[in-house]
mmCIF file of all heavy atoms in Angstrom:
data_model
loop_
_atom_site.group_PDB
_atom_site.id
_atom_site.type_symbol
_atom_site.label_atom_id
_atom_site.label_comp_id
_atom_site.label_asym_id
_atom_site.label_seq_id
_atom_site.Cartn_x
_atom_site.Cartn_y
_atom_site.Cartn_z
ATOM 1 N N GLY N 454 2.389 1.106 8.166
ATOM 2 C CA GLY N 454 1.117 1.590 8.673
ATOM 3 C C GLY N 454 0.774 2.982 8.179
ATOM 4 O O GLY N 454 -0.381 3.293 7.882
ATOM 5 N N ILE N 455 1.791 3.852 8.079
ATOM 6 C CA ILE N 455 1.536 5.199 7.593
ATOM 7 C C ILE N 455 1.710 5.290 6.085
ATOM 8 O O ILE N 455 1.034 6.081 5.412
ATOM 9 C CB ILE N 455 2.424 6.233 8.330
ATOM 10 C CG1 ILE N 455 1.858 7.647 8.150
ATOM 11 C CG2 ILE N 455 3.888 6.156 7.891
ATOM 12 C CD1 ILE N 455 2.481 8.680 9.068
ATOM 13 N N PHE N 456 2.576 4.459 5.492
ATOM 14 C CA PHE N 456 2.802 4.500 4.040
ATOM 15 C C PHE N 456 1.612 3.966 3.250
ATOM 16 O O PHE N 456 1.247 4.539 2.213
ATOM 17 C CB PHE N 456 4.021 3.647 3.658
ATOM 18 C CG PHE N 456 5.367 4.244 3.951
ATOM 19 C CD1 PHE N 456 5.497 5.479 4.571
ATOM 20 C CD2 PHE N 456 6.531 3.564 3.605
ATOM 21 C CE1 PHE N 456 6.756 6.013 4.855
ATOM 22 C CE2 PHE N 456 7.786 4.084 3.882
ATOM 23 C CZ PHE N 456 7.898 5.298 4.506
ATOM 24 N N TYR N 457 1.046 2.851 3.686
ATOM 25 C CA TYR N 457 0.105 2.106 2.851
ATOM 26 C C TYR N 457 -1.055 2.973 2.339
ATOM 27 O O TYR N 457 -1.339 2.965 1.136
ATOM 28 C CB TYR N 457 -0.403 0.878 3.608
ATOM 29 C CG TYR N 457 -1.313 -0.018 2.790
ATOM 30 C CD1 TYR N 457 -0.873 -0.586 1.603
ATOM 31 C CD2 TYR N 457 -2.617 -0.289 3.203
ATOM 32 C CE1 TYR N 457 -1.707 -1.408 0.849
ATOM 33 C CE2 TYR N 457 -3.449 -1.109 2.467
ATOM 34 C CZ TYR N 457 -2.990 -1.652 1.292
ATOM 35 O OH TYR N 457 -3.817 -2.466 0.550
ATOM 36 N N PRO N 458 -1.741 3.748 3.190
ATOM 37 C CA PRO N 458 -2.824 4.576 2.663
ATOM 38 C C PRO N 458 -2.354 5.688 1.736
ATOM 39 O O PRO N 458 -3.161 6.267 1.006
ATOM 40 C CB PRO N 458 -3.461 5.151 3.939
ATOM 41 C CG PRO N 458 -3.116 4.170 5.016
ATOM 42 C CD PRO N 458 -1.714 3.743 4.669
ATOM 43 N N TYR N 459 -1.058 5.982 1.754
ATOM 44 C CA TYR N 459 -0.516 7.043 0.895
ATOM 45 C C TYR N 459 0.077 6.530 -0.416
ATOM 46 O O TYR N 459 0.477 7.338 -1.263
ATOM 47 C CB TYR N 459 0.557 7.842 1.649
ATOM 48 C CG TYR N 459 -0.001 8.928 2.538
ATOM 49 C CD1 TYR N 459 -0.090 8.763 3.913
ATOM 50 C CD2 TYR N 459 -0.460 10.129 1.987
ATOM 51 C CE1 TYR N 459 -0.606 9.758 4.728
ATOM 52 C CE2 TYR N 459 -0.977 11.133 2.800
ATOM 53 C CZ TYR N 459 -1.062 10.939 4.162
ATOM 54 O OH TYR N 459 -1.585 11.936 4.968
ATOM 55 N N ILE N 460 0.143 5.237 -0.611
ATOM 56 C CA ILE N 460 0.811 4.703 -1.806
ATOM 57 C C ILE N 460 0.175 5.236 -3.082
ATOM 58 O O ILE N 460 0.870 5.583 -4.054
ATOM 59 C CB ILE N 460 0.825 3.155 -1.783
ATOM 60 C CG1 ILE N 460 1.804 2.674 -0.708
ATOM 61 C CG2 ILE N 460 1.226 2.592 -3.156
ATOM 62 C CD1 ILE N 460 1.806 1.163 -0.486
ATOM 63 N N ASN N 461 -1.142 5.334 -3.096
ATOM 64 C CA ASN N 461 -1.824 5.835 -4.294
ATOM 65 C C ASN N 461 -1.824 7.357 -4.400
ATOM 66 O O ASN N 461 -2.343 7.913 -5.361
ATOM 67 C CB ASN N 461 -3.260 5.311 -4.348
ATOM 68 C CG ASN N 461 -3.310 3.822 -4.712
ATOM 69 O OD1 ASN N 461 -2.457 3.315 -5.435
ATOM 70 N ND2 ASN N 461 -4.307 3.116 -4.194
ATOM 71 N N HIS N 462 -1.275 8.045 -3.422
ATOM 72 C CA HIS N 462 -1.127 9.503 -3.476
ATOM 73 C C HIS N 462 0.264 9.816 -4.040
ATOM 74 O O HIS N 462 1.222 10.065 -3.305
ATOM 75 C CB HIS N 462 -1.312 10.117 -2.080
ATOM 76 C CG HIS N 462 -2.715 10.044 -1.566
ATOM 77 N ND1 HIS N 462 -3.548 11.143 -1.505
ATOM 78 C CD2 HIS N 462 -3.432 8.999 -1.108
ATOM 79 C CE1 HIS N 462 -4.716 10.777 -1.024
ATOM 80 N NE2 HIS N 462 -4.682 9.489 -0.760
ATOM 81 N N SER N 463 0.355 9.823 -5.344
ATOM 82 C CA SER N 463 1.661 9.872 -6.010
ATOM 83 C C SER N 463 2.451 11.151 -5.729
ATOM 84 O O SER N 463 3.680 11.163 -5.861
ATOM 85 C CB SER N 463 1.490 9.689 -7.529
ATOM 86 O OG SER N 463 0.598 10.665 -8.050
ATOM 87 N N ALA N 464 1.769 12.227 -5.339
ATOM 88 C CA ALA N 464 2.480 13.481 -5.064
ATOM 89 C C ALA N 464 3.189 13.467 -3.707
ATOM 90 O O ALA N 464 3.990 14.362 -3.420
ATOM 91 C CB ALA N 464 1.510 14.655 -5.115
ATOM 92 N N THR N 465 2.901 12.486 -2.883
ATOM 93 C CA THR N 465 3.512 12.386 -1.554
ATOM 94 C C THR N 465 4.691 11.418 -1.585
ATOM 95 O O THR N 465 4.520 10.242 -1.887
ATOM 96 C CB THR N 465 2.483 11.912 -0.507
ATOM 97 O OG1 THR N 465 1.401 12.861 -0.422
ATOM 98 C CG2 THR N 465 3.128 11.762 0.862
ATOM 99 N N ARG N 466 5.882 11.919 -1.283
ATOM 100 C CA ARG N 466 7.054 11.049 -1.190
ATOM 101 C C ARG N 466 6.961 10.182 0.063
ATOM 102 O O ARG N 466 6.536 10.651 1.125
ATOM 103 C CB ARG N 466 8.343 11.881 -1.129
ATOM 104 C CG ARG N 466 8.669 12.646 -2.383
ATOM 105 C CD ARG N 466 9.828 13.619 -2.140
ATOM 106 N NE ARG N 466 11.083 12.919 -1.827
ATOM 107 C CZ ARG N 466 12.186 13.541 -1.407
ATOM 108 N NH1 ARG N 466 12.181 14.856 -1.215
ATOM 109 N NH2 ARG N 466 13.292 12.857 -1.148
ATOM 110 N N LEU N 467 7.365 8.938 -0.054
ATOM 111 C CA LEU N 467 7.404 8.023 1.082
ATOM 112 C C LEU N 467 8.862 7.701 1.363
ATOM 113 O O LEU N 467 9.568 7.191 0.486
ATOM 114 C CB LEU N 467 6.618 6.744 0.784
ATOM 115 C CG LEU N 467 5.156 6.929 0.346
ATOM 116 C CD1 LEU N 467 4.514 5.585 0.049
ATOM 117 C CD2 LEU N 467 4.353 7.687 1.413
ATOM 118 N N ILE N 468 9.320 8.008 2.577
ATOM 119 C CA ILE N 468 10.743 7.878 2.893
ATOM 120 C C ILE N 468 10.917 7.044 4.162
ATOM 121 O O ILE N 468 10.496 7.443 5.247
ATOM 122 C CB ILE N 468 11.408 9.259 3.070
ATOM 123 C CG1 ILE N 468 11.167 10.126 1.819
ATOM 124 C CG2 ILE N 468 12.906 9.103 3.340
ATOM 125 C CD1 ILE N 468 11.591 11.570 1.978
ATOM 126 N N GLY N 469 11.527 5.882 4.007
ATOM 127 C CA GLY N 469 11.833 5.019 5.137
ATOM 128 C C GLY N 469 13.258 5.267 5.611
ATOM 129 O O GLY N 469 14.185 5.379 4.806
ATOM 130 N N VAL N 470 13.421 5.355 6.927
ATOM 131 C CA VAL N 470 14.723 5.691 7.507
ATOM 132 C C VAL N 470 15.288 4.478 8.230
ATOM 133 O O VAL N 470 14.762 4.040 9.258
ATOM 134 C CB VAL N 470 14.612 6.877 8.474
ATOM 135 C CG1 VAL N 470 16.000 7.293 8.950
ATOM 136 C CG2 VAL N 470 13.908 8.065 7.799
ATOM 137 N N GLU N 471 16.359 3.923 7.691
ATOM 138 C CA GLU N 471 17.010 2.766 8.299
ATOM 139 C C GLU N 471 18.099 3.225 9.268
ATOM 140 O O GLU N 471 18.571 4.357 9.218
ATOM 141 C CB GLU N 471 17.623 1.876 7.213
ATOM 142 C CG GLU N 471 16.598 1.261 6.275
ATOM 143 C CD GLU N 471 17.221 0.227 5.355
ATOM 144 O OE1 GLU N 471 18.141 0.585 4.577
ATOM 145 O OE2 GLU N 471 16.781 -0.927 5.381
ATOM 146 N N ALA N 472 18.489 2.299 10.139
ATOM 147 C CA ALA N 472 19.532 2.588 11.119
ATOM 148 C C ALA N 472 20.902 2.446 10.465
ATOM 149 O O ALA N 472 21.352 1.331 10.175
ATOM 150 C CB ALA N 472 19.404 1.656 12.319
ATOM 151 N N ALA N 473 21.575 3.568 10.240
ATOM 152 C CA ALA N 473 22.914 3.541 9.645
ATOM 153 C C ALA N 473 23.991 3.276 10.677
ATOM 154 O O ALA N 473 25.170 3.158 10.311
ATOM 155 C CB ALA N 473 23.193 4.854 8.911
ATOM 156 N N GLY N 474 23.612 3.186 11.962
ATOM 157 C CA GLY N 474 24.561 2.836 13.021
ATOM 158 C C GLY N 474 25.765 3.755 13.061
ATOM 159 O O GLY N 474 25.656 4.966 13.208
ATOM 160 N N GLU N 475 26.945 3.157 12.880
ATOM 161 C CA GLU N 475 28.187 3.939 12.856
ATOM 162 C C GLU N 475 28.564 4.358 11.441
ATOM 163 O O GLU N 475 29.675 4.833 11.196
ATOM 164 C CB GLU N 475 29.304 3.128 13.511
ATOM 165 C CG GLU N 475 29.053 2.855 15.000
ATOM 166 C CD GLU N 475 30.151 2.054 15.662
ATOM 167 O OE1 GLU N 475 31.228 1.874 15.039
ATOM 168 O OE2 GLU N 475 29.956 1.610 16.804
ATOM 169 N N GLY N 476 27.653 4.177 10.498
ATOM 170 C CA GLY N 476 27.882 4.551 9.097
ATOM 171 C C GLY N 476 27.551 3.384 8.179
ATOM 172 O O GLY N 476 27.800 2.228 8.519
ATOM 173 N N LEU N 477 26.985 3.690 7.015
ATOM 174 C CA LEU N 477 26.559 2.640 6.096
ATOM 175 C C LEU N 477 27.712 1.786 5.598
ATOM 176 O O LEU N 477 27.517 0.635 5.197
ATOM 177 C CB LEU N 477 25.812 3.254 4.904
ATOM 178 C CG LEU N 477 24.407 3.812 5.205
ATOM 179 C CD1 LEU N 477 23.843 4.503 3.977
ATOM 180 C CD2 LEU N 477 23.468 2.695 5.671
ATOM 181 N N ASP N 478 28.916 2.329 5.597
ATOM 182 C CA ASP N 478 30.071 1.573 5.122
ATOM 183 C C ASP N 478 30.952 1.073 6.267
ATOM 184 O O ASP N 478 32.055 0.573 6.035
ATOM 185 C CB ASP N 478 30.897 2.431 4.159
ATOM 186 C CG ASP N 478 30.099 2.817 2.907
ATOM 187 O OD1 ASP N 478 29.362 1.958 2.383
ATOM 188 O OD2 ASP N 478 30.192 3.987 2.476
ATOM 189 N N SER N 479 30.438 1.183 7.491
ATOM 190 C CA SER N 479 31.231 0.784 8.659
ATOM 191 C C SER N 479 31.121 -0.702 8.974
ATOM 192 O O SER N 479 31.937 -1.254 9.717
ATOM 193 C CB SER N 479 30.773 1.574 9.890
ATOM 194 O OG SER N 479 29.443 1.162 10.256
ATOM 195 N N GLY N 480 30.111 -1.351 8.432
ATOM 196 C CA GLY N 480 29.828 -2.736 8.814
ATOM 197 C C GLY N 480 29.022 -2.829 10.091
ATOM 198 O O GLY N 480 28.587 -3.918 10.479
ATOM 199 N N LYS N 481 28.778 -1.699 10.750
ATOM 200 C CA LYS N 481 27.985 -1.664 11.981
ATOM 201 C C LYS N 481 26.732 -0.828 11.759
ATOM 202 O O LYS N 481 26.697 0.374 12.049
ATOM 203 C CB LYS N 481 28.823 -1.104 13.136
ATOM 204 C CG LYS N 481 29.969 -2.020 13.565
ATOM 205 C CD LYS N 481 30.661 -1.488 14.799
ATOM 206 C CE LYS N 481 31.701 -2.464 15.334
ATOM 207 N NZ LYS N 481 32.354 -1.962 16.566
ATOM 208 N N HIS N 482 25.721 -1.471 11.185
ATOM 209 C CA HIS N 482 24.467 -0.796 10.878
ATOM 210 C C HIS N 482 23.368 -1.845 10.753
ATOM 211 O O HIS N 482 23.619 -3.054 10.913
ATOM 212 C CB HIS N 482 24.586 0.001 9.581
ATOM 213 C CG HIS N 482 24.961 -0.851 8.393
ATOM 214 N ND1 HIS N 482 24.065 -1.661 7.745
ATOM 215 C CD2 HIS N 482 26.146 -1.023 7.752
ATOM 216 C CE1 HIS N 482 24.662 -2.302 6.766
ATOM 217 N NE2 HIS N 482 25.942 -1.937 6.742
ATOM 218 N N SER N 483 22.152 -1.396 10.454
ATOM 219 C CA SER N 483 21.022 -2.308 10.242
ATOM 220 C C SER N 483 20.248 -1.912 8.989
ATOM 221 O O SER N 483 19.022 -2.031 8.941
ATOM 222 C CB SER N 483 20.101 -2.300 11.470
ATOM 223 O OG SER N 483 20.789 -2.659 12.641
ATOM 224 N N ALA N 484 20.972 -1.456 7.987
ATOM 225 C CA ALA N 484 20.349 -0.929 6.767
ATOM 226 C C ALA N 484 20.162 -2.038 5.729
ATOM 227 O O ALA N 484 20.925 -2.158 4.763
ATOM 228 C CB ALA N 484 21.190 0.211 6.202
ATOM 229 N N SER N 485 19.110 -2.834 5.916
ATOM 230 C CA SER N 485 18.918 -4.025 5.084
ATOM 231 C C SER N 485 18.657 -3.702 3.622
ATOM 232 O O SER N 485 19.144 -4.394 2.722
ATOM 233 C CB SER N 485 17.761 -4.870 5.638
ATOM 234 O OG SER N 485 17.958 -5.169 6.990
ATOM 235 N N ILE N 486 17.867 -2.665 3.361
ATOM 236 C CA ILE N 486 17.545 -2.328 1.973
ATOM 237 C C ILE N 486 18.747 -1.712 1.266
ATOM 238 O O ILE N 486 19.057 -2.047 0.123
ATOM 239 C CB ILE N 486 16.324 -1.388 1.915
ATOM 240 C CG1 ILE N 486 15.073 -2.143 2.369
ATOM 241 C CG2 ILE N 486 16.127 -0.832 0.507
ATOM 242 C CD1 ILE N 486 13.801 -1.311 2.380
ATOM 243 N N GLN N 487 19.442 -0.827 1.953
ATOM 244 C CA GLN N 487 20.552 -0.111 1.313
ATOM 245 C C GLN N 487 21.834 -0.931 1.194
ATOM 246 O O GLN N 487 22.642 -0.699 0.294
ATOM 247 C CB GLN N 487 20.848 1.173 2.090
ATOM 248 C CG GLN N 487 19.696 2.181 2.064
ATOM 249 C CD GLN N 487 19.919 3.291 3.053
ATOM 250 O OE1 GLN N 487 20.487 4.318 2.726
ATOM 251 N NE2 GLN N 487 19.462 3.096 4.287
ATOM 252 N N ARG N 488 22.028 -1.880 2.099
ATOM 253 C CA ARG N 488 23.269 -2.650 2.081
ATOM 254 C C ARG N 488 23.029 -4.162 2.075
ATOM 255 O O ARG N 488 23.987 -4.938 2.140
ATOM 256 C CB ARG N 488 24.136 -2.287 3.285
ATOM 257 C CG ARG N 488 24.726 -0.871 3.220
ATOM 258 C CD ARG N 488 25.725 -0.749 2.090
ATOM 259 N NE ARG N 488 26.372 0.566 2.067
ATOM 260 C CZ ARG N 488 25.906 1.615 1.424
ATOM 261 N NH1 ARG N 488 24.757 1.539 0.759
ATOM 262 N NH2 ARG N 488 26.565 2.760 1.420
ATOM 263 N N GLY N 489 21.800 -4.597 1.957
ATOM 264 C CA GLY N 489 21.500 -6.020 1.946
ATOM 265 C C GLY N 489 21.293 -6.549 0.537
ATOM 266 O O GLY N 489 21.462 -5.846 -0.459
ATOM 267 N N SER N 490 20.912 -7.803 0.443
ATOM 268 C CA SER N 490 20.622 -8.454 -0.836
ATOM 269 C C SER N 490 19.465 -9.423 -0.621
ATOM 270 O O SER N 490 19.213 -9.859 0.511
ATOM 271 C CB SER N 490 21.858 -9.197 -1.364
ATOM 272 O OG SER N 490 22.338 -10.128 -0.396
#
């Protein structure tokens, strides 16, 4: 909702924050983009 109108504003970084839970390498997280396929 907040990213979409900014996609064409190339000078603005868009940063999504996933739930790393107990750590990205712990197996207890919800980081689908960073640790999914």
Side-chain angles (χ1 to χ4, degrees):
I455 198 168
F456 284 2
Y457 184 59
Y459 277 103
I460 289 174
N461 287 329
H462 290 254
S463 56
T465 299
R466 293 170 65 189
L467 305 178
I468 305 171
V470 186
E471 296 189 300
E475 296 180 11
L477 288 175
D478 298 319
S479 68
K481 292 186 174 182
H482 59 77
S483 302
S485 306
I486 292 179
Q487 296 169 91
R488 290 294 184 271
S490 55

